């Protein structure tokens, strides 16, 4: 049975206070109660918006009470879970007794503490004080009784923890035990390593037995699944790259986000790519160069994909594989693509594995098992990972990241471009309404659907895709005027899109602010002084240790 508690926190000051109007807007992003504060002291006005979001994630509320001239009181409550029988928590561990763990830390005191904790959990612990010693002990041990867990400090002289992990993976073809990375600072670097699956978990010093147990239990529970998934993923990536390396593909796409995403996926398996923005440009490139395959968007300005494919078949090449890559996923769209001369039809949002298999069917058919289906795999329901550093409410960031070849910097760039390109959606759609341009409105919705789906904004993807179909059917019926129903639904898409644009904007701004703070450097003398104060505070069980640790995390450069 699990228990929980709701705690109420209050912070009060006796400052200048706030007016009712200031209180009303205070929690909106990029707002300050007094704009002169920003001019004098800097800042973006994001802090309270982020705080409210964090409190809401903890099932709480953040509010303010204030009177001009008398001061302000900020109040929030939050839910905290309480484990039943905490004192006996470690004793209930099963299946760990007798497992072997390799502990690597250059600090003698840290080794002693972690050794005791791991031993109390049931591990047989081998200790190393450097990366080089760890490699030697790992090699001597691996053929006898293999390690089940590596507990590695990140910051060590000579070879740091991540370099040690990379070296072990290099020597053992990527197959090493679960890795728990230990760190006192430089969190951004280690968190990125965890997101990139270089390590399986991370834990922050100072470490308590309960936190260590939770971390170890989690990564060992997932260990078998991760090993199997790693082997399968590695085998698949290797197979795709072997089959597709050096093939020349022409990508025809009019949307820069979709183009960047597709180019990343293609380059990841060794494909040589060129791009074109529309069908007419694609035909010119086909006249100039030889390609093994064409990936063709359907709905594009100047010349659409179906028209371009017909011209290719009639005037140029009847054998060149041309694959449709489009957000058109409704019944009958695939048949239209095939009737125009396309060889296959890939729907957006793009599933990387399905894309690679489809390309292999045409570029290296001998490498594909005859039983491999040529149709897209069944859709899998996805969930939002609220524990990820990439958490944005309502957005399936893990799905978007996977479609960006698991490259975080690419995914963040796509999010930024999405905000820049579609921040004017409402104004643009309203202008199209006043000019009664239904076809261009349908094309705009079609583009938004494809891009939103690719980066994981499922709600916008579904709304825009369904409305695209309604516009298409409305035009087919012969009516060329906006109806009140179409106007209302277009307004609904704009409203929902605005919500996600703001969430992404706030997220990106907070990331930039955090990155800027992380780059503030301090001298070695200041670092030594801060660590000395932190050690003293911890020894004395002084709560000020939290403040010192926070200062360290903010000021240390990864």
């Amino acid at each position: 049975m699990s228990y929980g508690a709701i705690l109420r926190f209050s912070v009060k000051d006796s400052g200048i206070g706030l007016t009712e109007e200031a209180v009303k807007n205070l929690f909106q992003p990029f707002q300050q109660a007094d704009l002169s504060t920003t001019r004098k002291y800097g800042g973006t006005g994001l802090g309270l918006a982020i705080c409210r979001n964090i409190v809401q994630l903890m099932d709480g509320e953040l509010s303010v009470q204030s009177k001009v001239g008398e001061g302000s009181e900020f109040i929030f409550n939050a839910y905290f879970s309480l484990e039943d029988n905490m004192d006996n928590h470690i004793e209930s561990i099963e299946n760990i007794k007798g497992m072997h763990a390799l502990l690597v830390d250059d600090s003698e005191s840290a080794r002693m503490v972690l050794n005791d904790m791991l031993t109390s959990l049931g591990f047989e612990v081998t200790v190393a004080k450097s990366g080089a010693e760890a490699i030697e002990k790992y090699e001597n041990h691996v053929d006898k009784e293999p390690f089940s867990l590596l507990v590695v400090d990140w910051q060590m002289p000579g070879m740091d923890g991540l370099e040690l992990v990379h070296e072990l993976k290099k020597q053992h073809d990527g197959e090493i035990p679960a890795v728990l990375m230990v760190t006192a600072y430089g969190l951004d670097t280690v968190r990125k390593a965890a997101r990139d699956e270089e390590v399986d978990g991370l834990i922050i010093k100072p470490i308590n037995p309960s936190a260590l147990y939770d971390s170890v239990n989690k990564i060992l529970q997932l260990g078998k699944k991760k090993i199997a998934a790693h082997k399968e993923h590695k085998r698949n990536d290797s197979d795709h790259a072997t089959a597709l390396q050096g093939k020349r593909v022409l990508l025809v796409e009019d949307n820069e986000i979709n183009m960047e995403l597709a180019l990343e996926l293609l380059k990841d398996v060794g494909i040589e790519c060129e791009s074109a923005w529309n069908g007419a440009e694609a035909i010119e490139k086909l006249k100039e160069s030889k390609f093994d395959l064409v990936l063709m968007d359907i709905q594009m300005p100047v010349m659409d994909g179906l028209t371009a494919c017909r011209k290719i078949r009639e005037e140029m090449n009847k054998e060149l594989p041309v694959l449709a890559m489009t957000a058109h996923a409704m019944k009958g769209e695939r048949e239209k693509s095939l009737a125009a001369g396309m060889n296959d039809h890939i729907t957006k949002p793009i599933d990387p594995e399905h894309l690679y298999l489809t390309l292999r069917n045409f570029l290296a058919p001998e490498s594909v098992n005859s039983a491999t289906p040529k149709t897209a795999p069944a859709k899998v329901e996805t969930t939002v990972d609220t524990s990820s550093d990439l958490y944005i409410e309502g957005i399936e960031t893990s799905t978007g990241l996977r479609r960006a070849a698991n490259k975080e910097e690419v995914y963040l760039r796509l999010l930024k471009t999405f905000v820049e390109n579609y921040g004017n959606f409402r104004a643009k759609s309203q202008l199209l309404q006043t000019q009664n341009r239904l076809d261009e409105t349908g094309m705009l919705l079609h583009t938004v659907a494809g891009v939103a789906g690719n980066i994981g904004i499922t709600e916008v993807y579904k709304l825009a895709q369904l409305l695209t179909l309604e516009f298409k059917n409305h035009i087919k019926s012969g009516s060329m005027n906006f109806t009140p129903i179409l106007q209302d639904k277009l307004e609904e898409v704009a409203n929902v899109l605005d919500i996600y644009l703001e969430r992404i904007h706030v997220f990106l701004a907070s990331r930039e602010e955090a990155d800027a703070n992380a780059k503030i450097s301090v001298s070695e003398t200041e670092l030594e002084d801060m660590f000395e104060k932190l050690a003293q505070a911890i020894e004395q069980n002084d709560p000020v240790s939290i403040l010192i640790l926070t200062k360290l995390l903010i000021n240390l450069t990864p």
Side-chain angles (χ1 to χ4, degrees), residues 249 251 262-271 273 295 355 359:
V249 169
L251 172 66
L263 287 173
E264 285 290 339
L265 292 174
L266 295 173
K267 289 175 183 177
D268 259 16
V269 289
I271 290 176
C273 306
L295 279 172
L355 172 65
L359 290 173

Side-chain angles (χ1 to χ4, degrees), residues 436-507:
N436 212 40
R437 291 151 65 182
L438 275 82
D439 53 345
E440 291 184 45
T441 306
M443 182 178 287
L444 175 62
L445 285 164
H446 166 77
T447 304
V448 168
V451 175
N454 274 332
I455 61 178
I457 314 178
T458 305
E459 186 177 5
V460 172
Y461 164 69
K462 290 178 178 178
L463 283 174
Q465 186 184 47
L466 289 173
L467 190 53
T468 301
L469 183 63
E470 288 194 41
F471 266 85
K472 194 171 183 180
N473 291 335
H474 186 69
I475 293 171
K476 270 187 181 180
S477 70
S479 175
M480 293 305 294
N481 294 308
F482 279 87
T483 65
I485 293 177
L486 288 178
Q487 290 174 330
D488 289 346
K489 290 187 176 181
L490 194 57
E491 180 70 13
E492 182 186 3
V493 172
N495 289 337
V496 173
L497 181 59
D498 280 347
I499 291 171
Y500 285 101
L501 288 169
E502 182 179 356
R503 289 175 184 173
I504 296 171
H505 188 69
V506 170
F507 168 77

Side-chain angles (χ1 to χ4, degrees), residues 146-435:
F147 291 110
S148 300
L149 176 70
L150 304 181
V151 180
V152 182
D153 185 36
W154 176 48
Q155 284 286 61
M156 296 186 291
M159 180 185 293
D160 68 36
L162 285 177
E163 289 171 341
L164 170 60
V165 171
H166 293 160
E167 184 61 29
L168 289 174
K169 286 186 175 182
K170 179 181 176 181
Q171 293 182 14
H172 295 273
D173 199 26
E175 296 180 19
I176 64 172
V179 179
L180 178 62
M181 188 66 67
V182 180
T183 182
Y185 56 94
L187 284 179
D188 285 347
T189 299
V190 182
R191 279 178 176 152
K192 185 178 186 306
R195 288 193 299 269
D196 294 344
E197 298 185 355
E198 296 178 72
V199 300
D200 302 282
L202 64 93
I203 191 167
I204 302 169
K205 295 178 180 179
I207 299 166
N208 64 63
S210 177
L212 180 64
Y213 163 79
D214 289 338
S215 298
V216 169
N217 191 49
K218 181 178 179 181
I219 64 177
L220 289 182
Q221 291 261 354
L222 298 175
K224 292 181 180 178
K225 292 180 182 178
K226 283 184 67 68
I227 290 171
H230 169 76
K231 288 181 178 178
E232 182 65 19
H233 178 73
K234 184 177 178 182
R235 183 187 68 79
N236 285 347
D237 279 0
S238 176
D239 287 351
H240 296 325
T242 300
L244 299 173
Q245 184 79 32
K247 301 294 184 182
R248 299 198 72 237
V249 169
L250 176 62
L251 172 66
V252 192
E253 169 66 66
D254 70 311
N255 181 274
E256 62 177 301
I257 296 178
N258 290 336
M259 179 177 282
E260 182 174 358
L261 197 58
L263 287 173
E264 285 290 339
L265 292 174
L266 295 173
K267 289 175 183 177
D268 259 16
V269 289
I271 290 176
E272 297 176 9
C273 306
E274 283 196 35
S275 57
W277 292 102
N278 56 63
E281 188 177 329
I283 288 174
E284 291 305 312
K285 293 215 169 192
L286 287 170
K287 290 178 181 177
E288 297 168 1
S289 305
K290 186 178 184 299
F291 293 92
D292 298 305
L293 182 141
V294 179
L295 279 172
M296 181 85 73
D297 188 25
I298 297 296
Q299 198 161 323
M300 297 180 290
V302 184
M303 182 184 292
D304 64 68
L306 297 181
T307 302
C309 187
R310 291 189 191 101
K311 284 186 173 291
I312 292 170
R313 295 299 182 228
E314 293 168 3
E315 302 173 10
M316 301 177 65
N317 192 325
K318 297 191 178 192
E319 304 302 324
L320 176 67
V322 181
L323 312 183
M325 192 167 66
T326 174
H328 286 308
M330 300 301 176
K331 185 177 180 181
E333 297 297 340
R334 176 182 174 82
E335 287 71 18
K336 288 180 183 176
S337 297
L338 298 178
M342 303 278 192
N343 297 86
D344 209 337
H345 183 96
I346 301 171
T347 57
K348 298 173 187 172
I350 300 167
D351 178 90
E353 183 69 13
H354 177 60
L355 172 65
Y356 295 147
L357 286 173
T358 305
L359 290 173
R360 287 174 63 183
N361 280 328
F362 292 97
L363 295 176
E366 70 285 351
S367 71
V368 183
N369 188 301
S370 58
T372 301
K374 293 187 179 182
T375 55
K379 293 287 183 183
V380 178
E381 289 297 321
T382 54
T383 57
V384 177
D385 179 9
T386 58
S387 66
S388 169
D389 283 347
L390 285 175
Y391 172 70
I392 308 173
E393 184 183 353
I395 299 180
E396 295 165 8
T397 53
S398 58
T399 302
L401 186 62
R402 180 173 61 86
R403 291 181 181 135
N406 289 313
K407 297 178 180 178
E408 184 178 317
E409 67 279 6
V410 173
Y411 183 60
L412 292 175
R413 194 161 64 242
L414 296 177
L415 289 174
K416 184 177 181 181
T417 305
F418 183 77
V419 173
E420 292 171 351
N421 288 3
Y422 299 104
N424 66 344
F425 174 86
R426 183 186 297 277
K428 191 169 184 178
S429 63
Q430 287 174 347
L431 177 63
L432 292 173
Q433 285 183 65
T434 59
Q435 297 175 350

